[in-house]
Amino acid sequence: MKFITTLVAAVIYVLQATIQDYRIREREYSTPLSTMPGNVQALADEMFEEATRDKQLSADQAQQIEAGIWKMLGEGAVLQRNHELKKTREKISYLGQLLSWFMKAKGLSYAQIEEKYRNDFTDSEKELHRTIVESASRSNQDLVGKLWKAISKKFWGAQAKL
């Protein structure tokens, strides 16, 4: 009987922690990050206008300036996402922290994300960096699937399907 009581208490704790962690993650991480692309676009437009105002620039020069602005903002977006990820992890349950660490100890660096998308955007630096900003603004909605892949990779060395 004591075993069943302990098991029920453990299940209740896991459910409560999971629900609370989900709410914290939505409030502190997913929702604020979702506004990032629009904010970055507005800032990029403002920076480009300021950088090119009253200058006679060729199309190539303007394109280089715009790509440089987007690269800088893309780097900032990745740093901000990783900062928000760290702050959010400090607020979730110990169980949530353990699962977060198990799935990914820390957020990806800008270089890792750039490498991931580089081949898709060989012609447009601006679009590459815009995609990186959009990537930084998304949270992973398939946490159960990601957890399963992480567990199967760590224990069996392969990615088993759910």
Side-chain angles (χ1 to χ4, degrees), residues 44-59 61-66 69:
D45 291 346
E46 186 178 315
M47 291 172 72
F48 182 76
E49 183 179 319
E50 185 66 31
T52 59
R53 183 180 296 132
D54 300 327
K55 294 186 175 88
Q56 299 294 327
L57 301 172
S58 69
Q61 290 171 320
Q63 193 174 30
Q64 286 177 343
I65 290 170
E66 190 172 37
I69 289 169

Side-chain angles (χ1 to χ4, degrees), residues 21 85-86 88-90 92-107 143 146-147 150-151 154-155:
D21 290 349
L85 176 66
K86 183 180 176 194
T88 301
R89 283 183 175 172
E90 292 170 356
I92 61 176
S93 69
Y94 290 122
L95 175 64
Q97 290 175 13
L98 177 65
L99 292 174
S100 292
W101 171 82
F102 190 76
M103 291 188 319
K104 186 189 301 180
K106 63 180 187 173
L143 289 178
K146 187 174 181 180
L147 176 61
I151 290 170
K154 287 204 187 281
F155 290 108

Side-chain angles (χ1 to χ4, degrees), residues 7 32 57-58 64 74 94 99 105 108 110 119 135 138 158:
L7 182 62
L57 301 172
S58 69
Q64 286 177 343
Y94 290 122
L99 292 174
L108 297 176
Y110 180 80
N119 292 335
S135 172
R138 290 188 305 263

Side-chain angles (χ1 to χ4, degrees), residues 72-87:
M72 180 179 58
L73 293 173
E75 290 170 348
V78 170
L79 289 171
Q80 184 65 33
R81 177 190 181 151
N82 290 342
H83 173 75
E84 296 300 326
L85 176 66
K86 183 180 176 194
K87 275 184 17 185

